[in-house]
Amino acid sequence: MTETILANAMLVLPEGVMPGHLLLRDGLIAEIGTGRAVPKGALDCAGDLLAPGLIELHTDNLERHIEPRPKVAWPHADAIIAHDAELCSVGITTVFDALRVGSIGTSGRSDYREYARALADEILQMRARDGVRISHYLHLRAEICSETLLEELAKFGPEDRVGIVSLMDHTPGARQFRDLSKLRDYVRKKHGLSEAEFLAHVEQEKALKARHGAAHEAGVVAAARRLGAALASHDDTTPEHVAVSHGHGVRFAEFPTTFEAAQACRDHGIAVMMGAPNLIRGGSHSGNVAAQALAEADLLDILSSDYVPGALLSAALLLGDIWGDVARGLATVTAAPARAVGLADRGRIAPGLRADLIRAHRVERTAALRGVWVRGRRVG
């Protein structure tokens, strides 16, 4: 039996923030106490925040480690370990690693080739060998505008820890990139395309949607059910998009692009996820609705770090400032994402739950991490 006491902390509990201590035993939270006393043998947290570990549902961070520069392939084992260590260092204790499924073999572009099944195997093997510090699940980003989506999805089974399947429709002129000028800026800069190549890309994507869209969408919904995964929508823009998502059984909406779509999600009981970088920057880099506007209208439920892992905790604290409620702000990166994907064993500080915790010292509008625990073991 292993025990740890974390004392003299400001505990971020579901009902609010209060001074107290936690007793951790065998990987679980065994006891919650009140007050500022520091028992013999306890770690004195010096009044720092002690909160549940952060839960990340959508991050592109692993891709950045696998390809640190354009056309530079990094060894996957090294990339997975570095990705895991980076997330741990910013307080993320559970991650759903986002992998694209759905490729375009006829495009001639290497970045549209199949990779998800092989990389998933490496992530799961690294986890089985105790090579990672935090808890890893898979998030399959199902690209509707592709050629091989259904074949790639069929390679995954219930044993693969697939927690999320998201419907990704990147048809040019719709959803996130309904403004083609924004798509042009993004795609040409990221992939180095000429104007002619960009226009060919647009036509190819539209043709793929026309040819495969309906079958792919139905197949993704069926795959999520088969895998026991939460189904997410992506970039809903209109109330009609949200109505379709609701019919599919979508649990949460990733980055709705308009206020109207976010309101429709609330009306249909679909949780709204927004990007932490959007909140911190004061707006969307794609010209879509600002996360702060949704927060102020009580239409924001979950935050994702998206492409900046370190943004997650800072954005949650910023939400706490906006709402005047630190516990509510932090719930958007702990309890709310756990609830959205059906993880009942984490995301809150309560007896019997996993001892996944972070200790943080507030520094103006952000926080400095002073400790990270996963299953009661200090990992950062």
Side-chain angles (χ1 to χ4, degrees):
M1 182 172 64
T2 59
E3 290 189 345
T4 301
I5 301 175
L6 306 177
N8 189 21
M10 294 303 294
L11 304 180
V12 182
L13 303 174
E15 60 271 21
V17 180
M18 57 171 277
H21 72 265
L22 298 180
L23 170 63
L24 315 181
R25 179 183 298 130
D26 294 337
L28 303 177
I29 299 169
E31 178 185 298
I32 301 173
T34 60
R36 297 188 178 276
V38 181
K40 183 178 180 181
L43 173 64
D44 186 349
C45 293
D48 291 342
L49 290 172
L50 192 60
L54 312 185
I55 299 173
E56 175 56 75
L57 301 187
H58 177 119
T59 173
D60 302 330
N61 192 58
L62 180 54
E63 293 178 359
R64 181 171 63 83
H65 283 281
I66 287 171
E67 189 177 2
R69 288 188 177 181
K71 299 182 180 180
V72 174
W74 202 248
H76 286 182
D78 293 334
I80 293 166
I81 289 173
H83 160 66
D84 172 83
E86 182 178 1
L87 298 190
C88 180
S89 74
V90 295
I92 296 169
T93 56
T94 298
V95 61
F96 288 73
D97 293 314
L99 308 177
R100 171 182 52 78
V101 285
S103 307
I104 309 175
T106 59
S107 70
R109 287 173 51 190
S110 61
D111 55 310
Y112 278 92
R113 295 175 184 168
E114 180 180 353
Y115 75 98
R117 178 67 265 183
L119 183 56
D121 286 340
E122 292 181 276
I123 294 170
L124 296 172
Q125 289 166 9
M126 189 66 71
R127 176 181 174 275
R129 295 171 182 169
D130 200 25
V132 291
R133 305 183 198 184
I134 69 173
S135 181
H136 287 256
Y137 291 85
L138 302 182
H139 172 173
L140 300 183
R141 304 174 77 238
E143 293 286 354
I144 300 299
C145 297
S146 64
E147 296 170 333
T148 62
L149 176 56
L150 301 185
E151 294 91 333
E152 291 187 40
L153 281 172
K155 296 178 181 180
F156 289 86
E159 70 281 1
D160 286 318
R161 290 175 68 85
V162 178
I164 303 169
V165 177
S166 56
L167 278 159
M168 312 290 290
D169 183 356
H170 287 118
T171 306
R175 297 182 180 256
Q176 180 183 6
F177 291 118
R178 60 193 183 280
D179 181 346
L180 279 180
S181 67
K182 297 290 185 180
L183 178 63
R184 177 181 282 105
D185 292 343
Y186 177 77
V187 171
R188 290 194 61 183
K189 182 176 181 181
K190 182 176 181 180
H191 300 294
L193 302 185
S194 68
E195 178 64 14
E197 289 171 328
F198 168 72
L199 293 175
H201 166 77
V202 168
E203 292 308 311
Q204 179 184 52
E205 293 284 295
K206 289 182 176 180
L208 287 170
K209 173 66 179 293
R211 188 160 63 247
H212 300 298
H216 280 181
E217 189 164 335
V220 171
V221 175
R225 292 182 184 137
R226 175 177 62 83
L227 295 169
L231 183 65
S233 63
H234 191 77
D235 296 337
D236 288 333
T237 300
T238 66
E240 290 75 20
H241 287 158
V242 177
V244 171
S245 297
H246 175 67
H248 288 327
V250 162
R251 293 193 203 173
F252 65 97
E254 298 184 320
F255 321 128
T257 66
T258 64
F259 190 94
E260 293 76 16
Q263 181 62 62
C265 286
R266 178 57 49 83
D267 295 341
H268 284 290
I270 297 172
V272 172
M273 171 196 284
M274 292 299 287
N278 180 322
L279 186 69
I280 290 172
R281 294 177 67 251
S284 163
H285 73 278
S286 299
N288 297 318
V289 68
Q292 182 165 341
L294 296 187
E296 291 171 346
D298 195 25
L299 293 175
L300 194 160
D301 303 296
I302 301 169
L303 285 174
S304 160
S305 70
D306 198 5
Y307 56 94
V308 185
L312 199 58
L313 178 57
S314 296
L317 291 171
L318 178 55
L319 276 183
D321 293 341
I322 291 170
W323 288 331
D325 187 338
V326 172
R328 182 185 176 193
L330 284 168
T332 64
V333 296
T334 56
R339 184 166 54 250
V341 294
L343 290 179
D345 63 344
R346 69 195 77 187
R348 294 171 291 121
I349 292 179
L353 298 191
R354 282 173 58 117
D356 292 357
L357 301 160
I358 60 169
R359 174 189 171 190
H361 172 64
R362 192 78 188 263
V363 181
E364 297 181 355
R365 295 180 61 187
T366 185
L369 265 291
R370 288 183 167 176
V372 181
W373 290 262
V374 172
R375 288 188 177 274
R377 180 168 66 96
R378 187 161 188 171
V379 295

